[in-house]
Amino acid sequence: MDQQTWVAVASVISAGLTIGLGSIGSALGEGRALAQALSSIAQQPDEAATITRTLFVGMAMVESTAIYCFVVSMILIFANPFWNQMTSQ
Amino acid sequence: MDQQTWVAVASVISAGLTIGLGSIGSALGEGRALAQALSSIAQQPDEAATITRTLFVGMAMVESTAIYCFVVSMILIFANPFWNQMTSQ
Amino acid sequence: MDQQTWVAVASVISAGLTIGLGSIGSALGEGRALAQALSSIAQQPDEAATITRTLFVGMAMVESTAIYCFVVSMILIFANPFWNQMTSQ
Amino acid sequence: MDQQTWVAVASVISAGLTIGLGSIGSALGEGRALAQALSSIAQQPDEAATITRTLFVGMAMVESTAIYCFVVSMILIFANPFWNQMTSQ
Amino acid sequence: MDQQTWVAVASVISAGLTIGLGSIGSALGEGRALAQALSSIAQQPDEAATITRTLFVGMAMVESTAIYCFVVSMILIFANPFWNQMTSQ
């Protein structure tokens, strides 16, 4: 197993684990907020517009942590500087 | 076991773990939101339309974290740049 | 496996785990705060403006911990001083 | 694998784990405090100013633990005395 | 791998884990205390001054456990007697 192969194997495994782990917290946090939003709409239907707006702006911020993981994952697969260095030799 | 085989083995294992881990949080979060939606509709039947609409838009955002994992998993299987590099040599 | 490869493999794996682990706490904390905010708006609709403002300033502080992880992750990939030292030899 | 490589590998892995682990507790603690603050504002709107001020001074103290981790992480990457000693030989 | 390298590797890993693990408990404890303080201010607004004073003196003591970890971490990096002994030989 030569140098290139080691870097490729590490990048593949790391890219998968990054988004795999990172999406767990994000999905659970969003699910919790969504559940509470539905309960709040049922409790106070007149405020449905305010609740829905706050929900989606807030979920966008929670989603951002999953997007960070996705970005790192894509970089490790398609713009990996270590791999480029290895193959350009 | 030569270089190509190592990259193939790592890609296969990583593709499986990525979507396997990533779907846990997404499924639990959506299940929780859906359970709360049904409870809220029972509590406030007049708001069923608003609750259902909010539920599905929100679930689409939770689902997105699982879709990120699916995309990474598909890339590792069908558009793996490390594998392409190895086999083009 | 020579020196460069070891540093590259360690950097790739570390960059992935850093943002993967770091985003879990951040997403769960933000999800909890968002859920409580929606509940509070339903309970006290007159204070929706104050609650929303406090929510987003607070979420920015929670988000900052995920951003620290993202910064370290990017540094390990693109501005890694150990890798630069190795390749400049 | 020579001396320099060992120190570089250890520094990279340690820098990532430090901020990755350190940000989990900080984000969860801040999320909990923020959730309670929003609940308290809904319960006692007249005290919103006092609650908000206490919240942000307190969150700055919780954030400080994440900043300690970030500082150690940066020192291990950019001002590592062991690495400097190794490369200056 | 000679003597110096072993000491350097152990110091780097230990310094990172020390502050990384040590800050989790501290941040969670402070977050919990802060949440309760905000709840208490909402419940008894007239005592806000007393509650706030007690909160910050108490948080300074909780913070001290994170500071101990930070100090040990800094000593391991910058004033490590084992490393000084090794390099002065």
Side-chain angles (χ1 to χ4, degrees):
Chain A
M1 200 151 110
D2 65 351
Q3 302 175 27
Q4 284 190 16
T5 319
W6 271 106
V7 173
V9 166
S11 300
V12 164
I13 291 174
S14 187
L17 284 182
T18 301
I19 183 69
L21 286 175
S23 68
I24 294 176
S26 186
L28 290 178
E30 289 184 19
R32 178 171 186 171
L34 183 56
Q36 187 62 57
L38 299 167
S39 168
S40 299
I41 290 173
Q43 189 190 329
Q44 194 75 264
D46 298 338
E47 291 299 310
T50 307
I51 289 168
T52 309
R53 198 180 57 233
T54 308
L55 173 70
F56 289 121
V57 178
M59 281 178 88
M61 288 193 72
V62 181
E63 186 82 17
S64 70
T65 64
I67 291 174
Y68 295 158
C69 291
F70 188 61
V71 166
V72 170
S73 198
M74 286 293 103
I75 287 170
L76 288 179
I77 296 178
F78 290 115
N80 196 324
F82 307 108
W83 172 255
N84 293 341
Q85 175 81 15
M86 291 285 174
T87 54
S88 65
Q89 279 173 350
Chain B
M1 202 150 106
D2 65 351
Q3 301 175 27
Q4 286 190 14
T5 320
W6 271 105
V7 173
V9 166
S11 299
V12 165
I13 291 174
S14 187
L17 282 182
T18 301
I19 184 68
L21 285 175
S23 66
I24 294 175
S26 187
L28 289 177
E30 289 185 18
R32 178 171 185 171
L34 185 55
Q36 187 62 56
L38 299 169
S39 168
S40 298
I41 289 172
Q43 188 191 330
Q44 195 77 265
D46 298 338
E47 291 299 312
T50 308
I51 289 169
T52 309
R53 198 181 57 235
T54 308
L55 174 69
F56 289 122
V57 178
M59 280 178 87
M61 289 193 71
V62 181
E63 187 79 17
S64 69
T65 64
I67 291 174
Y68 295 157
C69 291
F70 187 62
V71 166
V72 170
S73 199
M74 286 293 103
I75 288 170
L76 288 179
I77 296 177
F78 290 116
N80 196 323
F82 306 108
W83 173 256
N84 294 340
Q85 175 82 14
M86 291 285 174
T87 54
S88 65
Q89 279 172 349
Chain C
M1 198 151 112
D2 65 351
Q3 303 176 26
Q4 284 191 15
T5 320
W6 271 106
V7 174
V9 166
S11 299
V12 164
I13 291 173
S14 187
L17 284 182
T18 302
I19 183 69
L21 286 175
S23 68
I24 293 175
S26 186
L28 290 178
E30 288 185 20
R32 179 171 185 170
L34 183 55
Q36 187 62 57
L38 298 167
S39 169
S40 299
I41 290 173
Q43 189 190 329
Q44 195 74 264
D46 298 336
E47 292 298 311
T50 307
I51 289 168
T52 310
R53 198 180 57 233
T54 308
L55 173 69
F56 288 121
V57 177
M59 281 179 88
M61 289 193 71
V62 181
E63 185 82 17
S64 69
T65 64
I67 291 174
Y68 295 158
C69 292
F70 188 61
V71 166
V72 170
S73 199
M74 286 293 103
I75 287 169
L76 288 179
I77 295 177
F78 290 115
N80 196 323
F82 307 108
W83 173 256
N84 294 340
Q85 175 80 16
M86 292 284 174
T87 54
S88 65
Q89 279 172 350
Chain D
M1 198 152 112
D2 66 351
Q3 302 176 27
Q4 283 191 15
T5 319
W6 271 105
V7 174
V9 166
S11 300
V12 163
I13 291 174
S14 187
L17 284 182
T18 302
I19 183 69
L21 287 174
S23 68
I24 294 175
S26 186
L28 290 177
E30 288 185 20
R32 179 171 186 170
L34 183 55
Q36 187 62 58
L38 298 166
S39 169
S40 299
I41 290 174
Q43 190 189 330
Q44 195 74 264
D46 298 337
E47 291 297 310
T50 307
I51 289 169
T52 309
R53 197 179 59 233
T54 307
L55 173 68
F56 288 121
V57 177
M59 281 178 88
M61 289 192 70
V62 181
E63 185 82 18
S64 69
T65 64
I67 291 174
Y68 295 158
C69 292
F70 189 61
V71 166
V72 170
S73 200
M74 286 293 103
I75 287 170
L76 288 179
I77 296 178
F78 290 116
N80 197 323
F82 306 108
W83 173 254
N84 293 340
Q85 175 80 16
M86 292 284 174
T87 54
S88 65
Q89 279 172 349
Chain E
M1 199 153 110
D2 65 352
Q3 301 176 30
Q4 282 192 15
T5 319
W6 271 106
V7 174
V9 166
S11 300
V12 163
I13 291 173
S14 185
L17 285 182
T18 302
I19 183 68
L21 288 174
S23 68
I24 294 175
S26 184
L28 289 177
E30 288 185 21
R32 179 173 185 170
L34 183 55
Q36 188 61 57
L38 297 166
S39 169
S40 300
I41 290 174
Q43 192 187 327
Q44 195 74 266
D46 298 337
E47 292 298 311
T50 308
I51 290 169
T52 309
R53 197 178 59 233
T54 308
L55 173 68
F56 289 121
V57 177
M59 281 179 86
M61 291 192 70
V62 181
E63 185 81 18
S64 69
T65 64
I67 291 174
Y68 295 157
C69 293
F70 187 61
V71 166
V72 170
S73 200
M74 286 293 102
I75 287 171
L76 288 179
I77 296 178
F78 289 116
N80 197 323
F82 307 107
W83 175 254
N84 293 341
Q85 176 78 16
M86 292 283 175
T87 54
S88 66
Q89 279 172 349

